[in-house]
Structures are given as structure tokens and as C-alpha cells.
Amino acid sequence: MHRYAALAGFWKRAVVSIGFLAFVAPAAAQDADADLAKQLSNPVASLISVPFQYNWNQGYGDQDGTQNLINIQPVIPISISDDWNLISRTILPVIWQDDVVPGSSQAGIGDITQSLFFSPKEPWNGIIWGVGPVFYLPTGTDDLSAGKWGAGPTAVVLTQKNGWTVGALANHIWSFAGKDDAADISSTFMQPFLSYTTPDAWSFTLNTESTYNWETDEWSVPINFMVAKLVKFGKQPVQFQVGARYWAVSPDNGPEGWGARAAVTFLFPAGR
């Protein structure tokens, strides 16, 4: 009799344990997904990610030219000491466009922007930050390259709390070499951003990607709103993003009105 009672007690505990795990495991997995999504809102997170970001812009010049642009943007953190990371952020544009240059079409790769951030592994009083150099490399095909080498400083600062991420990234690039007949570069880039990530790994982001050209005294100010969801295919986390952009200010013959953005980002967390 005691044996049956013990066996019944065992199965009762087993059923309760399985029920508890069935409740806790999805919650833990959901928390992990939300944490990964929140890390993607941090430009200097210690997380390998490879975004493919598609942008569609319109309204160039008198012929209402259009541009399709895919930015390939791998982010690779490198531990350089117990306290510091070096974060490599690369932007490689792939472009095809019609009537941006009136009466012609171009397709190929654009110039690479390479940023390196030295960032402490632990926040300082809740502030996450990174500083370092940015380089502009004239890797583009002839019709899509500025034809200049450039460099300058870059920095990012942000804070994250209760699902919110607030911060800004900025850089300035001066040209120092390149084709003699190419225009000099002196350009400031500013990207303030605001993001909210839900417990089930949805992210809502508002930012601008403003550029001021000191050579021509012209602003480019697109305002972007994006919605993203992190999902997993097996153990592989992937974030999908869609959004709209509006060109609040653009240079002469630049894009105007509404545009669109879509992205897919592959994540490679440490220890996965």
C-alpha cells in the first residue's frame, strides 16, 4: 500500500513539475528573445548581428528619380580586455537607381563606411557609450562613388530602462585623399533614436538619420518609424523589420516625400 502511495506521490510531483516547466520555459524563452531584441536597439551591444536593410527613396530631381538601396551592415564585437570591447560596424551599400542622375540608370556597390567604437563592457551609472574613429572608403563603382578617402571621429551614447532605449549616434567625416576632380567631403551625421521593446520581442523605433554637408551648406533629414519582431527558426534568432520614412528636409535634386524601409537581421549570440 505504501508502495502505491509513494508511486502516486511521484507521479503527482512529476505532473506538477512538468506543468511548472511548461509554464516557466516559454516565459524564460520569451524573456531571452526580448533581451536580444533590446540589444539590437543598442549600437554597441556585445552581439554579432548581420542586418540587410532595404530602403526605397523617390522624388529625385525634375524627373522624379527613384533609388533602391540595400545596406549590408555587419556588427562584430571584439573583446580587447576584461573591461573593454571594440565594436566594428560596417555599412556596405548595394544600389540600383533610375533618373537620380537625369536620363540614366546606375547599379552597383557604393562607398563603405567603417566605424570602430571602443566601449566599456559595463554601463557607467546606467549610461552605455562608445567612441572611436570612422573611415570612408571609396569602394563604389565609378558612378556610385564619391571618389574620396575620408576619416573622422564617431561616438554613441544611450540608456536602456523598462524596455525603452534612448540615445544618439554621431560622426563627422573629412576627406583627405582621392580623385582630384571629386568634391571634398566635410559631413556631419546625427542619429537620435527612441525605441521601445515589448516583453514578447516587438520593437517600435523612431529616429532621424540627419546629414549636414558643410561643403554645400545643405541638410538631409529623413524621419524613420519602424516596427520589428524577433523570431526564431530552430535556434537561429532573426529580426524582421518594416517601416516608413519621410524626407523632412533634402538637398536640391535629392529625395522627397515618403519612402519605405524593410530589414532582416541575423543574430549570433555568444554561447548559442
Side-chain angles (χ1 to χ4, degrees):
M1 195 71 176
H2 292 293
R3 182 176 60 184
Y4 292 120
L7 186 61
F10 167 79
W11 282 112
K12 182 179 179 180
R13 289 191 297 272
V15 169
V16 170
S17 298
I18 291 171
F20 176 77
L21 290 173
F23 174 79
V24 171
Q30 187 178 76
D31 289 345
D33 290 350
D35 183 65
L36 285 176
K38 188 172 71 171
Q39 288 187 63
L40 281 178
S41 297
N42 173 7
V44 289
S46 184
L47 173 70
I48 297 175
S49 62
V50 185
F52 294 83
Q53 181 196 83
Y54 169 76
N55 297 276
W56 177 75
N57 301 304
Q58 63 169 338
Y60 288 86
D62 294 335
Q63 298 188 31
D64 197 26
T66 59
Q67 181 189 68
N68 298 273
L69 168 67
I70 295 177
N71 285 321
I72 304 171
Q73 304 179 129
V75 179
I76 302 174
I78 303 167
S79 177
I80 57 175
S81 75
D82 291 340
D83 300 318
W84 291 85
N85 283 329
L86 175 65
I87 312 294
S88 169
R89 294 179 60 89
T90 307
I91 301 177
L92 170 62
V94 180
I95 305 165
W96 62 104
Q97 59 189 29
D98 295 305
D99 290 324
V100 172
V101 178
S104 66
S105 299
Q106 294 81 33
I109 64 171
D111 295 336
I112 289 176
T113 303
Q114 175 65 57
S115 301
L116 299 171
F117 294 94
F118 295 92
S119 179
K121 292 182 178 180
E122 296 297 328
W124 177 76
N125 290 336
I127 302 298
I128 301 167
W129 60 275
V131 295
V134 59
F135 303 98
Y136 189 83
L137 313 177
T139 54
T141 50
D142 287 343
D143 294 335
L144 296 171
S145 175
K148 290 288 190 179
W149 294 83
T154 187
V156 61
V157 61
L158 65 136
T159 186
Q160 294 185 306
K161 187 175 182 180
N162 298 327
W164 289 95
T165 300
V166 181
L169 183 153
N171 67 46
H172 187 89
I173 296 175
W174 293 275
S175 58
F176 60 86
K179 296 180 179 179
D180 291 338
D181 59 348
D184 290 334
I185 297 173
S186 179
S187 179
T188 299
F189 174 80
M190 294 177 288
Q191 185 186 40
F193 51 85
L194 172 67
S195 179
Y196 179 72
T197 300
T198 69
D200 53 352
W202 285 91
S203 295
F204 303 88
T205 302
L206 179 68
N207 71 25
T208 70
E209 296 169 348
S210 303
T211 302
Y212 184 70
N213 186 332
W214 293 85
E215 295 292 328
T216 61
D217 294 325
E218 291 181 311
W219 280 98
S220 298
V221 185
I223 300 172
N224 306 299
F225 177 73
M226 290 84 67
V227 178
K229 179 70 170 78
L230 189 139
V231 299
K232 284 184 177 177
F233 297 96
K235 294 184 177 181
Q236 176 62 58
V238 181
Q239 187 187 67
F240 294 95
Q241 182 187 76
V242 294
R245 61 177 10 191
Y246 182 77
W247 288 90
V249 181
S250 62
D252 292 341
N253 299 317
E256 295 182 353
W258 289 94
R261 171 172 290 179
V264 57
T265 301
F266 297 90
L267 291 77
F268 302 94
R272 183 178 65 82

